[in-house]
Amino acid sequence: MSIILAIESSCDDTSAAVLQDDTLLSNIIASQKVHEQYGGVVPELASRAHQQNIIPVVDGAIREAGIKKEDIDAVAFTRGPGLMGSLMVGVSFAKSFGQALGKPLIEVNHLQAHVLSHFIHKPESPEKPEFPFICLLVSGGHTQILLLRSHFEMEVLGQTIDDAAGEAIDKAAKIMDLGYPGGPVIDRLAKEGNPDAYHFSTPQIQGYDYSFSGIKTSFLYFLRDRLKEDPDFIEKHKADLCASIQKTIVGFLLKKVERAALDHKVRQVAIAGGVSANSLLRSELQRICDKHHWQAFIPPFKFCTDNAAMVGIAGYFKYLKGDFADISLPPYTR
């Protein structure tokens, strides 16, 4: 039996979790509201907030787990990718905490952690993906189609060559002045709109790669032309616009995922990352999997956004291999 303390600080959420093997004992997240007024994450403000939050968040995770700090067998931390200032806070704290207690360190890749969140034990849904399987990793900064052959053998089949899907959604929300983060707002308004009201072209990119800059530009020019005719166009048709742009992006994402699963003859498909909380993406993935008699793995909402539980499960599998980190390892942004 192992007790893993995990720390996540790659962007604007400070999180700490405690896992006993693959079972989650606690998962505390401190979100930063300060960025909303700026329409995006301000790196300097994020790192300052991490400094304020890291100690109470870790203390809360240990207390909620019902353990003593001496019970911890290893400290897992997000080493990258992410914002350098934010990462430095979590990495430095993890190193200090581990060294003070004489506990080994485990460095975790943030993207791998998102994918491996599917292996956290969930009493309400005990099934876990079996290898090999396809996973769509989709967030504000990353969009990748991965073929997993083991917990740490992940082949990148395709990825975005410019904007990530989450960036495209947030930029569409910004154009319509819906606030930040835009994804949840677009998802909510889209439920009230007609997804077939407007049609936006998708790039013809070869293979499994993506490009979202064209969708964003198409949306911008469409609105520019309509606003010349009617300055209140966005306000009048906000729900239909949200439903249509969301359908375009989700359809583009899943078309390539479906093709990748067919080409590689896998029967299990998963999604991970912040955008995996999108209701249309979740329902459309399930529809596609039902059509092909595949099994869909859709993460609980609490594991979609950045959290330390996913860092902990990645750390657990590394702990089993004895894959520990040297204290000299620096964080990395890419």
Side-chain angles (χ1 to χ4, degrees), residues 6-17 24 27-32 35 41 46 50 57 78 80-83 86-87 109-115 117 120 137-142 180-181 272-277 299-312:
I7 296 170
E8 156 63 21
S9 69
S10 63
C11 191
D12 60 335
D13 288 329
T14 313
S15 182
L24 186 62
N27 189 30
I28 305 295
I29 303 173
S31 297
Q32 301 175 8
H35 306 286
V41 176
H50 283 303
V57 164
T78 299
L83 300 175
S86 296
L87 288 166
N109 179 287
H110 179 80
L111 305 182
Q112 287 184 334
H114 269 301
V115 177
S117 66
I120 299 171
L137 174 59
V138 56
S139 68
H142 307 280
Y180 176 86
V275 182
S276 64
F301 289 111
K302 61 183 177 181
F303 296 144
C304 293
T305 54
D306 294 347
N307 65 91
M310 66 185 195
V311 178

Side-chain angles (χ1 to χ4, degrees), residues 266-326:
V266 301
R267 303 187 62 80
Q268 297 188 329
V269 181
I271 53 174
V275 182
S276 64
N278 180 273
S279 61
L280 183 64
L281 180 64
R282 296 164 80 91
S283 63
E284 281 298 289
L285 175 66
Q286 188 64 62
R287 182 188 64 78
I288 290 170
C289 287
D290 289 345
K291 179 179 72 173
H292 292 290
H293 304 289
W294 297 339
Q295 190 169 9
F297 287 89
I298 300 171
F301 289 111
K302 61 183 177 181
F303 296 144
C304 293
T305 54
D306 294 347
N307 65 91
M310 66 185 195
V311 178
I313 193 65
Y316 167 65
F317 289 122
K318 283 196 165 188
Y319 181 86
L320 294 179
K321 298 196 304 176
D323 187 358
F324 301 119
D326 187 271

Side-chain angles (χ1 to χ4, degrees), residues 7-11 14 43-44 46-48 50-51 54 77-96 327 329-333:
I7 296 170
E8 156 63 21
S9 69
S10 63
C11 191
T14 313
E44 178 61 26
S47 57
R48 289 180 186 177
H50 283 303
Q51 290 177 320
I54 188 74
F77 62 92
T78 299
R79 185 182 168 205
L83 300 175
M84 180 55 74
S86 296
L87 288 166
M88 286 184 66
V89 174
V91 171
S92 299
F93 182 90
K95 289 179 177 181
S96 301
I327 197 169
L329 287 178
Y332 57 87
T333 58

Side-chain angles (χ1 to χ4, degrees), residues 175-198:
I175 291 169
M176 293 187 286
D177 196 25
L178 299 181
Y180 176 86
V185 181
I186 283 185
D187 193 15
R188 175 175 57 80
L189 290 173
K191 295 174 183 177
E192 305 168 8
N194 175 12
D196 297 314
Y198 309 106

